Amino acid sequence: MFTVALVGGLHSDARRAAVDRLLADVPGSVALHHDLATAPATGTVARTVRDATGVLSTGETPLVDDCACCALREDLVPELERLRDSGLTRLAVVELWDSVEPKAMAEVVAAAGFRIGAVVTAVDPALLLPYLGNGDDLADVGLAAAATDRRTVADTWARQLEYAPVLAVAESPAADSEDRALLDQLHPTALRIPVEGGGLAAAVFDGFDVEAAAAAQHPACALLPQDADEHGVATYVWHHHRPFHPERLYAALEGLTCAATRSRGRFYLADRPDTLLAWDAAGGALCVESHGPWLASLPDAAWEMVPPVRRAAAALDWHPEHGDRCQHLVFTSPGLDRDGLAELLGSCLLTDAEYAAGRESWKGLASAFDTLLEV
């Protein structure tokens, strides 16, 4: 059966090593790579197809709407169809360019009817912390996928790492126990396979469910890391059902964002108690987004339209008064100050008197997050 495996990640040397290992270990495998680096200068994206013996073919595809990533999407499916129809390829390894995120490409491939065997992110443990701490814009380091690309190195790397259920871990003499503990805590459910160990070939045929992967990234039901403390790296899970005071939380954002290498989760504000907000921070920058209503704010009839995985996640954390509304934030970092975080987060909640005033009073609080949410 023709199978597609996606291998990505900003750690380009580790990514290339993982792809080379697959080509060497899987008979009938071919790697397809679109190089977006030359797109701004040439107006084209360069395509390379190779196997274990070397380059089989090269080509170019023009930019689409001044977007190199869009050109990749347009060219990828026809190339995969060509490889499948040749009858000579068992495994097509799509080596994603540095800043291309696997979620978008996996959805393109699945929508075209191909079987995805795995999505893999290649990791050099010694580079994990430097990349997560890098708040530079991709455009400033020559890695933007489009003229309008406003992502940073840190947030792009975090999404690449956390989306993939398989991590291909490169041998890295410069990595220490702190680096490996950080990797373990950031993505504890991932299957971690040494690139040099030979186990990657079997993992890329296991099968990958695009819909399940998307659900696992949704802030309402994401499988967030648990409390941990090892080799100087800690993960702190903060959970509460009382709403945040919008102005006090906004004033604390810089301190909370810079307190950890990576933080994420879901939360809600007293002035908009029916809105589920996602917290996503890396590299000293925070992204806050609205993800629609909490289930507790919906009429019973609307629950049938909600994916079962979200209903199940809500049931596990249901509160008799607030329903699934909650503050569930997770902070991971070397040298994490748990007590300081707990104190700062607690100070942002409604006080007893504010809480007792009730929901109508809460809605009258100043909407400090309008700018962040572009309301």
Side-chain angles (χ1 to χ4, degrees), residues 7-331:
V7 180
L10 279 165
H11 298 172
S12 55
D13 289 344
R15 186 186 70 233
R16 178 56 63 92
V19 173
D20 288 346
R21 171 56 60 183
L22 287 171
L23 294 180
D25 290 351
V26 181
S29 60
V30 169
L32 173 62
H33 178 60
H34 289 81
D35 189 341
L36 279 56
T38 59
T42 65
T44 60
V45 172
R47 179 203 327 114
T48 303
V49 180
R50 64 189 179 97
D51 64 9
T53 66
V55 175
L56 300 176
S57 68
T58 61
E60 294 182 339
T61 185
L63 290 184
V64 175
D65 298 327
D66 200 29
C67 172
C69 208
C70 300
L72 188 163
R73 292 189 185 97
E74 292 290 322
D75 193 63
L76 179 60
V77 170
E79 282 298 304
L80 289 175
E81 290 174 341
R82 183 182 64 79
L83 290 171
R84 179 195 59 196
D85 295 345
S86 73
L88 302 175
T89 303
R90 177 189 177 202
L91 174 69
V93 181
V94 178
E95 181 188 352
L96 300 175
W97 188 68
D98 300 53
S99 68
V100 175
E101 296 188 26
K103 181 177 184 292
M105 292 303 109
E107 291 172 352
V108 167
V109 173
F114 295 104
R115 179 184 185 270
I116 301 178
V119 173
V120 180
T121 293
V123 183
D124 180 339
L127 298 179
L128 181 59
L129 186 57
Y131 277 60
L132 277 176
N134 189 339
D136 290 343
D137 289 342
L138 291 175
D140 293 337
V141 294
L143 294 176
T148 57
D149 196 339
R150 297 293 180 265
R151 295 174 297 156
T152 68
V153 171
D155 63 39
T156 301
W157 171 237
R159 284 189 293 271
Q160 290 176 336
L161 180 73
E162 292 157 8
Y163 180 77
V166 179
L167 302 180
V169 183
E171 185 176 341
S172 180
D176 57 20
S177 56
E178 180 182 283
D179 297 321
R180 300 187 187 283
L182 180 60
L183 180 60
D184 290 345
Q185 292 181 35
L186 285 171
H187 197 349
T189 62
L191 177 63
R192 291 178 288 281
I193 301 176
V195 171
E196 302 302 322
L200 198 56
V204 295
F205 289 100
D206 285 346
F208 179 82
D209 187 327
V210 169
E211 291 186 2
Q217 297 300 304
H218 193 286
C221 44
L223 294 175
L224 297 173
Q226 302 296 307
D227 276 297
D229 194 343
E230 187 178 14
H231 299 297
V233 179
T235 294
Y236 174 57
V237 179
W238 189 79
H239 192 272
H240 212 288
H241 283 283
R242 183 173 291 196
F244 278 125
H245 187 287
E247 290 181 304
R248 289 200 295 272
L249 179 62
Y250 189 84
L253 288 183
E254 183 176 356
L256 292 170
T257 300
C258 296
T261 300
R262 176 75 171 130
S263 57
R264 49 190 158 140
R266 56 188 179 269
F267 70 103
Y268 76 112
L269 302 169
D271 64 310
R272 54 183 87 214
D274 294 334
T275 303
L276 189 160
L277 299 173
W279 175 290
D280 193 330
L286 170 67
C287 176
V288 173
E289 292 184 327
S290 169
H291 279 263
W294 294 94
L295 293 192
S297 68
L298 296 176
D300 292 347
W303 279 50
E304 295 303 318
M305 302 172 63
V306 176
V309 65
R310 182 171 176 189
R311 297 200 300 268
L316 289 173
D317 194 31
W318 195 261
H319 186 274
E321 180 180 356
H322 300 291
D324 58 331
R325 299 180 187 89
C326 69
Q327 323 295 1
H328 187 169
L329 300 176
V330 178
F331 300 81

Side-chain angles (χ1 to χ4, degrees), residues 178 232-234 259 333-338:
E178 180 182 283
V233 179
S333 186
L336 193 70
D337 181 4
R338 291 170 178 262

